[in-house]
Amino acid sequence: MTYAIIEASGKQLWVEPGSFYDLNKIEADPGDSVFFERVLLINDLNEIHIGKPCIADAKIQATVLRHLRGKKVIVYKMRPKKGTRIKKGHRQELTRLVIKSINIGNKVIN
């Protein structure tokens, strides 16, 4: 099992080649390649590489599939006995990515 732990969009994600992930919106067009260089850990068939805090020569290559919006989150505030009610909704802008490869040095892991 090959996987990597990366830092992207203010979160740490466990990513595997060929898997799909939704991140906060990235300014890239669908079909573009995106590289993540903040790689914290890579596990390649039980050979583990750990960064301090990041692995220097590691990159994750991903392809942007599309931009979408997340589920609606409802925020409702009510002040009892005051007659004040506020209902707000929010939908986060997301980007769907597919991980193409994990690169460490000259070695490419698909």
Side-chain angles (χ1 to χ4, degrees):
M1 182 168 153
T2 301
Y3 64 88
I5 298 177
I6 65 170
E7 188 176 316
S9 294
K11 300 176 187 173
Q12 292 181 2
L13 297 168
W14 174 309
V15 296
E16 298 175 357
S19 296
F20 300 91
Y21 299 95
D22 291 337
L23 299 176
N24 288 340
K25 188 171 182 182
I26 297 172
E27 293 301 324
D29 294 325
D32 288 353
S33 288
V34 178
F35 290 94
F36 297 101
E37 295 182 358
R38 300 221 12 116
V39 181
L40 307 175
L41 180 137
I42 294 177
N43 184 358
D44 176 27
L45 300 174
N46 298 325
E47 182 183 338
I48 298 177
H49 304 277
I50 300 175
K52 297 178 186 177
C54 298
I55 301 171
D57 56 348
K59 287 184 183 180
I60 307 296
Q61 181 184 4
T63 302
V64 176
L65 293 180
R66 65 186 181 117
H67 299 290
L68 61 142
R69 296 179 79 188
K71 277 183 74 172
K72 183 172 250 185
V73 177
I74 304 293
V75 178
Y76 187 76
K77 285 186 174 182
M78 183 184 102
R79 297 176 66 196
K81 301 178 206 156
K82 305 291 185 208
T84 305
R85 290 175 171 81
I86 300 171
K87 182 177 179 181
K88 295 182 180 178
H90 175 76
R91 291 184 70 186
Q92 185 67 35
E93 298 287 332
L94 302 172
T95 299
R96 179 157 292 164
L97 302 170
V98 61
I99 303 298
K100 291 294 182 186
S101 65
I102 299 172
N103 306 330
I104 182 163
N106 294 328
K107 186 177 179 183
V108 177
I109 305 164
N110 289 336

